[in-house]
């Protein structure tokens, strides 16, 4: 702050505004800061950041280089916006850790509607397994065939199946719950695992449609609503598993981690880069 002229022009007026006033609690401090003004039109906005942050962390040069920062004028060296980390350079371990933290803090915020909860209860009854259940996300279709720019690359399906088999055995999972919208990937998993080892929900699945998946229309009544229900059901099922293994980052992976409430015993999201 020593050479920051913006802060010099702010803090002195805050100090004047609360001079002689006891700073007895956080609300008093916030109100006094927020009410600071000057004749030339200074306005101050102040809010309390109630997030929990890990202490004792030190940023190395590699972490500093990943900060997504944009200078804004005037006085760009003193005015800037930090949006977080540049995701293309950030490790997925960092992303997973951040989603777990959010999940733990807000685990009771999302409640399924009754119709969706009823579907979830019926699906959970179908999984008959004496051991732990590993949720597996295998994204395919448009992520594979269209190779959309800046999207995450799913790893090779055959290699992923081999890895799932090894991962399951190594960590002692009794069965897997597969989430995939790709009909070819489902068939490969069915050929690789027995009915006692593999569980999945019935949903619309696709091959190479030549279009972004959300633009594909299915000839059935209320298709948009039903596909939304199917997607939400699968994400909720993943969130109920004991662990999670994904072939890339995607919306289903993020949704499952965010809804899990920090209960996953194991999480791994394979990083094969971006298109």
């Amino acid at each position: 702050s020593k050479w920051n002229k913006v802060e010099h022009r702010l803090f002195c007026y805050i100090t004047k505004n609360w001079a002689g006033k006891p700073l007895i609690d956080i609300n008093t401090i916030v109100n006094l800061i927020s009410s600071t003004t000057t004749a030339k039109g200074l306005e101050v906005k102040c809010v309390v950041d109630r997030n929990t942050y890990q202490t004792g962390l030190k940023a190395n040069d590699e972490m500093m280089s990943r900060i997504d920062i944009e200078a804004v004028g005037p006085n760009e060296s003193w005015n800037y916006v930090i949006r977080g980390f540049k995701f293309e350079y950030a490790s997925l371990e960092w992303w997973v850790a951040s989603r777990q933290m959010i999940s733990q803090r807000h685990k009771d915020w999302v409640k399924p509607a009754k119709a969706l909860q009823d579907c979830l209860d019926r699906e959970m009854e179908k999984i008959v397994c004496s051991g732990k259940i590993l949720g597996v996300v295998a994204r395919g279709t448009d992520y594979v065939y269209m190779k959309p720019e800046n999207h995450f690359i799913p790893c090779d399906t055959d290699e992923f199946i081999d890895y799932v088999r090894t991962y399951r055995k190594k960590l002692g999972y009794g069965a897997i719950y597969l989430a995939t919208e790709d009909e070819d990937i489902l068939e490969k998993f069915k050929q690789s695992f027995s009915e006692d080892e593999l569980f999945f929900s019935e949903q619309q699945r696709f091959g190479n449609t030549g279009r972004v998946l959300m633009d594909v229309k299915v000839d059935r009544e209320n298709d948009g609503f039903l596909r939304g229900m199917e997607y939400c059901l699968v994400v909720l099922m993943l969130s109920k598993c004991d662990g999670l293994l994904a072939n890339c980052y995607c919306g289903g992976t993020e949704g499952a981690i965010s809804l899990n409430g920090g209960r996953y015993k194991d999480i791994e999201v394979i990083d094969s880069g971006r298109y």
Side-chain angles (χ1 to χ4, degrees), residues 161-177:
I161 289 175
D162 288 340
Y163 189 66
V164 170
R165 187 181 291 109
T166 301
Y167 192 91
R168 170 177 167 252
K169 182 178 180 181
K170 178 181 177 181
L171 298 178
Y173 283 90
I176 65 174
Y177 173 81

Side-chain angles (χ1 to χ4, degrees), residues 101-129:
M101 183 185 72
I102 294 172
S103 174
Q104 290 170 349
R105 291 179 58 82
H106 307 308
K107 60 185 178 182
D108 296 323
W109 284 25
V110 178
K111 299 290 185 183
K114 185 179 185 304
L116 184 56
Q117 183 63 54
D118 290 343
C119 291
L120 178 63
D121 293 340
R122 289 193 294 270
E123 285 295 295
M124 291 299 295
E125 290 176 358
K126 296 178 183 178
I127 300 181
V128 180
C129 175

Side-chain angles (χ1 to χ4, degrees), residues 15 28 40 47 54 66 80 105-106 119 148 161 182 188 191 203-204 222 241 245 247 249-250 254 258:
T15 302
T28 300
K40 292 187 177 181
V47 295
Q54 185 176 349
R66 292 194 276 108
Y80 47 83
R105 291 179 58 82
H106 307 308
C119 291
I161 289 175
D182 191 306
K188 285 191 173 184
Q191 293 169 13
Q203 65 177 106
Q204 287 293 323
N222 296 326
C241 294
L245 176 60
N247 69 344
Y249 164 81
C250 62
E254 178 162 8
S258 299

Side-chain angles (χ1 to χ4, degrees), residues 7 21 52 64 69 92 176 195-196 245:
E7 293 187 0
K21 298 181 177 69
T52 301
M64 293 296 293
I69 184 170
L92 290 181
I176 65 174
E195 292 184 358
D196 295 331
L245 176 60

Side-chain angles (χ1 to χ4, degrees), residues 49 51 124 166-167 197 203 233 239 243 245 257:
D49 183 354
N51 290 322
M124 291 299 295
T166 301
Y167 192 91
E197 297 172 323
Q203 65 177 106
L233 175 61
S239 74
L245 176 60
I257 295 174

Side-chain angles (χ1 to χ4, degrees), residues 36-101:
T36 301
T37 59
T38 66
K40 292 187 177 181
L42 173 68
E43 295 182 359
V44 181
K45 294 181 180 179
C46 179
V47 295
V48 178
D49 183 354
R50 299 191 182 278
N51 290 322
T52 301
Y53 299 95
Q54 185 176 349
T55 60
L57 297 177
K58 294 184 179 180
N60 56 32
D61 292 341
E62 190 268 337
M63 292 176 66
M64 293 296 293
S65 69
R66 292 194 276 108
I67 296 176
D68 187 2
I69 184 170
E70 178 186 359
V72 294
N75 299 322
E76 290 187 353
S77 60
W78 302 317
N79 294 274
Y80 47 83
V81 176
I82 296 178
R83 296 186 175 86
F85 280 86
K86 298 173 183 176
F87 203 85
E88 58 268 32
Y89 301 116
S91 67
L92 290 181
E93 288 80 5
W94 181 280
W95 172 83
V96 168
S98 69
R99 293 306 184 272
Q100 283 182 288
M101 183 185 72

